[in-house]
Amino acid sequence: MEKVKKAGERADMHDQLAQRTCQAEAVMEQYLPDETGHQRTIFEAMNYSVRAGGKRLRPILMQETYRLFGGSGKEIEPFMAAVEMIHTSSLIHDDLPCMDNDELRRGKPTTWVKYGYDMAVLAGDALLIYAVETAAKACSMTENGGMVARAIGLMAEKTGIYGMIGGQVVDVELTNQPVPREKLDFIYRLKTGALLEASMMIGALLGGADEAALSTVERIASLVGVAFQIQDDILDVTATTEQLGKPVLSDEKNQKTTYVTLEGIDKARADVAEMSAEAIKLLHLLPGENLFLEGLIQMLITREK
């Protein structure tokens, strides 16, 4: 009976996630550029990349954290679109021949395969700066322009040299080299975790969180980000290409050090479970309640695809 109940809860969670994914995609569509003009190719490449699919985790986490703190306005929507543009830009660049050299992403040709190396570089760059332009549109949706400005600064910090790109730098520098544990932790915390931190912190900030709550949200998001990446390492050696929509064993092919290669799969799974438990414990310390957000965090960390 308990197994049936848990199966029902998982099915309900997946249904809710599917609904919110559709909602996030509808928001994003409002902010994508029209495919017209002499530079039409870059618009097509940008839109192709954003529309390639995915769970839209970052905008969903942003919106649900916003709701956790009582947010109910429209000013969150440009940021939801912006964070997914930034995430997409990182995937475009990750797939390039000079990086991971992947030809498949979410079951479709990667951007450089579809549009060429040169246009893929430009599409990634374009999405980064267009994300800032998009987020700035929130200024006209609220009287608290100062809070929007702070959120844009936070988004930039977590994306740039002290965040996602900083983690990518260390990752690239250590390509084909042994990676010590402390540097691997640094890479995971910045390359994957920083943008999740931005997503949840922006949601909390615009929702009205105080400084103490904002710090707690940052810690929760950091735990989720690192655990999410470790689970990605696990799936790279346990899942199939059909399940993931991208090549498996790509880390092995590229001779990349991962959490699994350093610690083994059993330790990796145990650490993911521990991080998940700590994230949920911290979530319970925050004011308000969002059962979907709690379930989403648990599902993200223990996903099988």
Side-chain angles (χ1 to χ4, degrees), residues 175-233:
T175 299
N176 297 325
Q177 299 179 45
V179 181
R181 172 65 190 273
E182 65 272 14
K183 286 195 175 182
L184 188 71
D185 289 345
F186 178 88
I187 292 167
Y188 284 10
R189 196 171 67 251
L190 270 66
K191 185 180 174 184
T192 302
L195 206 56
L196 285 170
E197 289 170 16
S199 300
M200 294 185 71
M201 290 176 74
I202 288 169
L205 188 64
L206 296 182
D210 61 24
E211 294 303 319
L214 196 62
S215 292
T216 300
V217 168
E218 183 174 27
R219 176 59 182 160
I220 291 169
S222 178
L223 287 164
V224 172
V226 174
F228 184 90
Q229 184 58 57
I230 296 172
Q231 185 68 10
D232 208 47
D233 293 345

Side-chain angles (χ1 to χ4, degrees), residues 157-169:
E157 177 188 341
K158 296 294 187 179
T159 299
I161 54 177
Y162 300 107
M164 181 185 74
I165 291 174
Q168 184 77 304
V169 167

Side-chain angles (χ1 to χ4, degrees), residues 32 43 72 75 109 123 152 257 270 274 294:
L32 293 179
F43 298 149
S72 59
E75 74 275 10
I152 292 173
T257 300
E274 183 179 338
E294 180 176 338

Side-chain angles (χ1 to χ4, degrees), residues 8 79 83 94 99 120-121 183 193 199 214 223 233 250 281 284:
F79 282 98
V83 77
D94 273 351
M99 303 284 263
V121 172
K183 286 195 175 182
S199 300
L214 196 62
L223 287 164
D233 293 345
S250 59
K281 181 180 177 181
H284 289 162

Side-chain angles (χ1 to χ4, degrees), residues 107-295:
K108 298 178 181 179
T110 50
T111 307
W112 75 268
V113 171
K114 178 83 172 176
Y115 290 96
Y117 198 147
D118 50 1
M119 204 55 60
V121 172
L122 290 172
D125 291 347
L127 281 169
L128 271 177
I129 196 65
Y130 192 58
V132 179
E133 181 181 339
T134 298
K137 293 177 181 179
C139 289
S140 64
M141 300 178 178
T142 176
E143 296 180 357
N144 197 343
M147 195 64 74
V148 171
R150 184 179 174 189
I152 292 173
L154 177 59
M155 185 178 74
E157 177 188 341
K158 296 294 187 179
T159 299
I161 54 177
Y162 300 107
M164 181 185 74
I165 291 174
Q168 184 77 304
V169 167
V170 179
D171 190 28
V172 169
E173 285 183 334
L174 292 172
T175 299
N176 297 325
Q177 299 179 45
V179 181
R181 172 65 190 273
E182 65 272 14
K183 286 195 175 182
L184 188 71
D185 289 345
F186 178 88
I187 292 167
Y188 284 10
R189 196 171 67 251
L190 270 66
K191 185 180 174 184
T192 302
L195 206 56
L196 285 170
E197 289 170 16
S199 300
M200 294 185 71
M201 290 176 74
I202 288 169
L205 188 64
L206 296 182
D210 61 24
E211 294 303 319
L214 196 62
S215 292
T216 300
V217 168
E218 183 174 27
R219 176 59 182 160
I220 291 169
S222 178
L223 287 164
V224 172
V226 174
F228 184 90
Q229 184 58 57
I230 296 172
Q231 185 68 10
D232 208 47
D233 293 345
I234 293 169
L235 292 175
D236 191 66
V237 297
T238 61
T240 65
T241 297
E242 289 72 24
Q243 284 176 302
L244 296 184
K246 63 180 180 178
V248 295
L249 301 177
S250 59
D251 294 330
E252 181 179 321
K253 178 189 74 174
N254 294 320
Q255 298 182 316
K256 289 187 70 173
T257 300
T258 71
Y259 204 89
V260 172
T261 61
L262 281 180
E263 301 289 354
I265 197 161
D266 291 339
K267 177 72 160 55
R269 283 175 168 153
D271 288 348
V272 164
E274 183 179 338
M275 290 177 193
S276 175
E278 184 179 350
I280 297 302
K281 181 180 177 181
L282 289 170
L283 184 65
H284 289 162
L285 297 178
L286 295 173
E289 183 180 61
N290 187 326
L291 294 178
F292 173 78
L293 178 59
E294 180 176 338

Side-chain angles (χ1 to χ4, degrees), residues 92-102 110 112-113 116-117 120:
I92 293 172
H93 287 166
D94 273 351
D95 291 334
L96 290 172
C98 65
M99 303 284 263
D100 290 344
N101 193 27
D102 281 328
T110 50
W112 75 268
V113 171
Y117 198 147

